[in-house]
Amino acid sequence: MLNRIRQSIVYRIGTLMLLTVLVALSSMVASYVISDAAENDAAAVNLAGSLRAMNYRLAATAPAGDREATRQVADQVAHRLRQVLDISDFVADDTSSAAARYTGVLNHWQQEIRPLVESVAAGQTPMNSLQLATRLEPFIGEVDALVSEYQQIAETKIRLLRVVQLASLFATVLLVYLSLYILHRSVEQPLQQLTDRSMGIAQGNFDLSPLDIDSEDELGVLARTINYMSDEIHATHRDLERRVQLKTAQLQKSHEALDFQYRLARRIGEGPLQGAELEQWLSEFSRLADLENLDLCLMTPEGEAPYEHLVRGFGNSHCDPGDCQVCVSTCGSTVEGDQRTYRFPLEVDKRNYGVLVCSLPQEKELDEEQQQRLATFADSVTAAIAINEREAQERRVALMDERAIIARELHDSLAQSLSYLKIQVTRLTRANRGEQVDREQVQEIIAELKQGLDSSYRQLRELLTTFRLQIGQGGLRGILEQTILSYREQHPQLSILLDYRLDEIPLTPHEEIHLLQLVREASQNAVYHSQGDRVEISLLQGDNHSLEVRIRDNGIGISDAPEKRNHFGMSIMQERASNLDGELTIRRRDTGGTEVSFTFVPDYARNREVIWQEA
């Protein structure tokens, strides 16, 4: 039970409350018993006192000879004596002093006083009132002693009741004080410490001194649990702080790596990377990736030795700058002597442009994130080289296309004009060989030569204008407006109108160039050969995201003869239309004049159609 009290504060408080209740109940039971015992003491005292008064009545009644009145008073005295026995807390054979005194009084009454009184009343014993009263004095003294005995018994009970109440009060106060003391030491102080610690934990303060509650009860268990929980939370908090710092450092590195990749990608988009600049990028990547020894070998797709070997740190000790096929053909991690080597080929579309090599001590390995960064950097360098090569190839193709276009333009214009002039010079030479020179024929040939030279010069200027033509910031619309303005200055008699509705349609430079050349070719034919006074140029958006280009004039209309059509450069326009995968139509208008219409689907619409079909 003591262990139970020591280990449970609830049981301890319950025990104190039970003791307090027991003391209160004991006090109440004792008070009830004592008060119940003293309930008839006053009546007994009154009865004893009335016996003394009745003795005085007998002393007055008996000498008068009134036997009936004397008998009645004697019966009352006997009855009162029996009542005293009935209301007393003792029996007739009790050995207590009060019982002995009562027995003495009763025997004295029955054996002496009552016979004497009845004898005096019957006249058998002559005795006056004074004599009888003197004879009754001892009996009255015994009755007075009996009354005093009853008073002492009552007072003893009252004193006992007071002692019981005082003891109960003292025990109650002692138990209350003990309860308050135990509550203060075992409940209030530990609860205050637990509350303070809980508030500290709620505020995030886990690094506190342990709770000093050395008890085996519930609060002690709770204190030890909170100490353990606080220590665990503090350790977890420190671990989380360490992990957050680690993650923050990793995120910072990832951010720097992403920023590096973004800047590198933006730089790659701006133009080709040269060796010195690429070496700077390699050095910055080495610092960001925390890798000291890096080799970057750049090769041509057909070569076996690098044309550029960039080294960061000590590089690969097994690197042979004269033969890189081993490095190029090997991927992943290999151990070579005291080095562990990671190789990342610069390869795209089965074309190899070199290799990126990372060297580490044999006992170290790259984690997955570092390998990913190396692969990403290698892909970026590969993309830069591939983009440079692709742009160079596109420039070569564009240059060849332009040369082919210039050749066609020269063949269809200046070459034919020069051939015509050569023929006229031959005629002129033949006309001057004879003895008889036909002056009219010579003049005719000279006039035709002058006309041919003027036509050739005009064609040369148009060709120069065409070849110098560039699409600037104004785009296709701006260059078309400049071209029309030039036509209006050269031919003020013509009304040339432009209806351009392609401002919201993204066109590639390839599409803009071919559209411009096609419109210029068709508009030149309308200006120089239609013999009309109105030319309408319209670029509109047709059905199914297609584009429609129309050049109309109100002239004489195009001839149906094939040679005339070829003369007007129709084959060149057909070739440009085929380059855009479009459809070119040239027809004579019913109202007079010629209409050149061209319809094609731009690249953005084709790509969107492909995406929709895949979806």
Side-chain angles (χ1 to χ4, degrees), residues 167-210:
S168 300
L169 178 61
F170 177 76
T172 303
V173 172
L174 181 62
L175 287 174
V176 170
Y177 174 78
L178 183 61
S179 300
L180 292 177
Y181 177 77
I182 292 176
L183 288 175
H184 176 70
R185 290 293 303 273
S186 302
V187 179
E188 184 182 1
Q189 290 182 351
L191 279 179
Q192 184 64 39
Q193 296 183 35
L194 292 173
T195 302
D196 295 340
R197 174 56 61 86
S198 300
M199 293 180 63
I201 292 175
Q203 295 173 0
N205 189 4
F206 305 106
D207 189 13
L208 296 174
S209 59

Side-chain angles (χ1 to χ4, degrees), residues 1-18:
M1 183 175 179
L2 293 178
N3 291 332
R4 187 74 178 274
I5 293 175
R6 186 174 63 254
Q7 293 175 358
S8 175
I9 188 172
V10 176
Y11 196 81
R12 194 181 310 159
I13 295 175
T15 303
L16 290 173
M17 293 180 63
L18 180 61

Side-chain angles (χ1 to χ4, degrees), residues 516-544:
L516 174 61
Q517 297 293 354
L518 193 147
V519 172
R520 283 181 57 82
E521 188 70 31
S523 60
Q524 283 181 4
N525 289 334
V527 170
Y528 294 114
H529 305 294
S530 67
Q531 300 180 14
D533 59 358
R534 183 181 179 86
V535 178
E536 297 177 359
I537 303 173
S538 60
L539 291 87
L540 311 173
Q541 184 172 1
D543 299 332
N544 298 325

Side-chain angles (χ1 to χ4, degrees), residues 96-316:
S96 63
S97 60
R101 193 174 297 278
Y102 172 76
T103 302
V105 170
L106 181 63
N107 292 332
H108 192 187
W109 165 258
Q110 292 178 351
Q111 295 176 5
E112 294 182 13
I113 300 302
R114 183 165 187 171
L116 177 62
V117 171
E118 289 179 350
S119 175
V120 171
Q124 296 177 358
T125 303
M127 191 174 291
N128 56 20
S129 297
L130 180 60
Q131 292 175 342
L132 183 58
T134 303
R135 185 69 182 272
L136 292 177
E137 282 295 331
F139 178 73
I140 293 173
E142 291 179 359
V143 172
D144 289 337
L146 180 62
V147 171
S148 299
E149 189 74 23
Y150 278 117
Q151 286 180 348
Q152 291 177 0
I153 292 173
E155 291 174 356
T156 301
K157 292 179 180 179
I158 292 173
R159 286 194 298 271
L160 179 60
L161 180 61
R162 289 175 181 174
V163 170
V164 170
Q165 290 179 343
L166 287 175
S168 300
L169 178 61
F170 177 76
T172 303
V173 172
L174 181 62
L175 287 174
V176 170
Y177 174 78
L178 183 61
S179 300
L180 292 177
Y181 177 77
I182 292 176
L183 288 175
H184 176 70
R185 290 293 303 273
S186 302
V187 179
E188 184 182 1
Q189 290 182 351
L191 279 179
Q192 184 64 39
Q193 296 183 35
L194 292 173
T195 302
D196 295 340
R197 174 56 61 86
S198 300
M199 293 180 63
I201 292 175
Q203 295 173 0
N205 189 4
F206 305 106
D207 189 13
L208 296 174
S209 59
L211 292 172
D212 187 14
I213 302 177
D214 188 14
S215 61
E216 299 180 5
D217 54 18
E218 294 87 347
L219 293 180
V221 174
L222 182 59
R224 288 189 292 272
T225 304
I226 290 181
N227 286 333
Y228 176 76
M229 180 186 68
S230 179
D231 294 338
E232 289 295 321
I233 293 177
H234 185 51
T236 304
H237 191 266
R238 289 198 306 268
D239 182 65
L240 287 176
E241 285 183 349
R242 182 184 58 80
R243 293 170 63 183
V244 166
Q245 292 175 357
L246 181 61
K247 288 295 183 181
T248 302
Q250 292 177 352
L251 288 175
Q252 182 66 27
K253 280 188 170 294
S254 298
H255 172 71
E256 293 177 355
L258 288 175
D259 179 69
F260 172 80
Q261 293 296 336
Y262 168 73
R263 290 186 289 107
L264 179 58
R266 186 176 63 180
R267 176 61 188 86
I268 290 173
E270 293 176 355
L273 291 176
Q274 304 300 328
E277 187 176 4
L278 190 57
E279 185 174 5
Q280 294 178 358
W281 286 105
L282 180 64
S283 298
E284 184 176 356
F285 173 76
S286 174
R287 179 181 59 81
L288 289 176
D290 197 17
L291 298 173
E292 298 180 355
N293 301 326
L294 295 176
D295 291 77
L296 181 60
C297 297
L298 303 181
M299 303 167 54
T300 61
E302 297 80 13
E304 296 182 356
Y307 65 84
E308 189 79 47
H309 185 196
L310 305 177
V311 179
R312 175 65 180 175
F314 296 105
N316 181 16

Side-chain angles (χ1 to χ4, degrees), residues 310-419:
L310 305 177
V311 179
R312 175 65 180 175
F314 296 105
N316 181 16
S317 61
H318 300 276
C319 179
D320 184 6
D323 185 6
C324 291
Q325 288 301 319
V326 176
C327 286
V328 171
S329 59
T330 305
C331 298
S333 173
T334 59
V335 177
E336 300 173 358
D338 59 346
Q339 280 190 339
R340 183 182 298 275
T341 305
Y342 291 83
R343 294 184 177 88
F344 299 88
L346 310 181
E347 186 175 4
V348 61
D349 296 334
K350 297 183 180 181
R351 292 174 62 85
N352 188 37
Y353 298 99
V355 64
L356 175 63
V357 182
C358 176
S359 301
L360 296 172
Q362 183 178 357
E363 64 275 6
K364 291 186 179 180
E365 293 184 1
L366 291 178
D367 57 26
E368 184 177 355
E369 184 176 0
Q370 288 179 316
Q371 294 185 37
Q372 183 65 34
R373 290 179 180 176
L374 281 167
T376 303
F377 181 70
D379 292 341
S380 299
V381 175
T382 305
I385 298 175
I387 289 173
N388 295 339
E389 185 179 274
R390 192 178 302 113
E391 289 180 352
Q393 181 65 22
E394 289 177 355
R395 287 193 295 270
R396 287 193 293 269
V397 172
L399 180 60
M400 297 302 295
D401 289 341
E402 288 298 324
R403 288 179 177 178
I405 293 172
I406 292 173
R408 287 195 298 270
E409 296 286 350
L410 291 174
H411 178 270
D412 294 338
S413 57
L414 286 179
Q416 294 182 5
S417 298
L418 291 176
S419 298

